[in-house]
Every structure is written in structure tokens, then in C-alpha cells.
Amino acid sequence: MKTWKIAWLVVMCVAAAAVLSAADVRSYDKSIELVWDEAVKAARDAELEVTDSDRSEHWFTMEAPKKTLSKAVSFEVRLTPSGTGAQVAVRSTDKPGSKKSEKNIAAFFDALDARMH
């Protein structure tokens, strides 16, 4: 019985890690308004297109432009206040977990990190 409990715990930890990787989250120690401005610019820096936004609700969607015979991949970006700073969460709305999605999310956060430092 003890082995079963350990195996169950391992399965639950792996499942939790998969859920956490579904939406990448970063925290910044700047006002949400400043993070918003830089996040929108970072999307362009990462060669992504902002397709829809609501500044008052602190969210926007962005899209990786489609290449020849390839479908565009879309992402949702949400900013939430966190103390005196802000958190930025990105999740893929198309093909979550795919290499293309992961690559574009990483490029977005690299561009945002560069702007925020």
C-alpha cells in the first residue's frame, strides 16, 4: 500500500508540473501600466502581432504570423497586479505545449525581460 501512495504522489506532481507549464508566468517589480506598455512593445520585438486588447482589463492577444502553408499560433497575455508590481501570464490558445508555442512564448518573455531590465 505504501508503494501505491508514493506512485500516486509522483503522478500528481507530474500532473501539477504539466499544468504549471501550460501558462508561463513572470513577475516584474514595476507598475502594471509600465509593464503593459513594455509587454505590447515586447510582442512586436518578438515578431508577434497584437490582434486584440483591453488595456483597462489588462489583457491582449497576440499571434505568431503564419509561415507558408502553416497556421498562425495565437496566445493570450494577462497582466495582474501583484503588490507594487505586476505578473504577466501567457498561454497558447492554439497548439498548447507545441514546440512552436513554446518557442514564441520564450521569445516574448526574452523580449519583455530585456525591456524590463
Side-chain angles (χ1 to χ4, degrees):
M1 188 74 158
K2 204 173 206 178
T3 304
W4 180 84
K5 287 182 181 179
I6 292 171
W8 182 79
L9 181 60
V10 169
V11 169
M12 293 306 293
C13 288
V14 169
V19 169
L20 290 176
S21 66
D24 286 306
V25 179
R26 298 269 173 93
S27 295
Y28 298 96
D29 193 25
K30 307 270 187 199
S31 72
I32 196 166
E33 291 82 15
L34 176 66
V35 177
W36 168 272
D37 290 340
E38 297 305 324
V40 171
K41 293 173 188 172
R44 289 191 300 259
D45 293 349
E47 298 180 5
L48 299 164
E49 299 172 2
V50 174
T51 55
D52 193 13
S53 68
D54 187 335
R55 186 180 178 110
S56 62
E57 294 291 322
H58 297 106
W59 66 264
F60 64 89
T61 56
M62 60 186 183
E63 188 173 275
K66 64 182 177 181
K67 305 289 184 203
T68 308
L69 301 176
S70 171
K71 183 181 178 205
V73 177
S74 298
F75 304 90
E76 180 181 76
V77 181
R78 291 205 170 267
L79 285 73
T80 54
S82 176
T84 59
Q87 279 191 332
V88 179
V90 179
R91 74 174 183 88
S92 176
T93 55
D94 296 320
K95 301 180 184 179
S98 72
K99 287 184 181 184
K100 184 174 182 179
S101 293
E102 290 176 5
K103 179 182 171 188
N104 284 296
I105 290 171
F108 170 74
F109 276 122
D110 286 347
L112 183 54
D113 289 346
R115 289 186 157 277
M116 297 304 293
H117 289 99

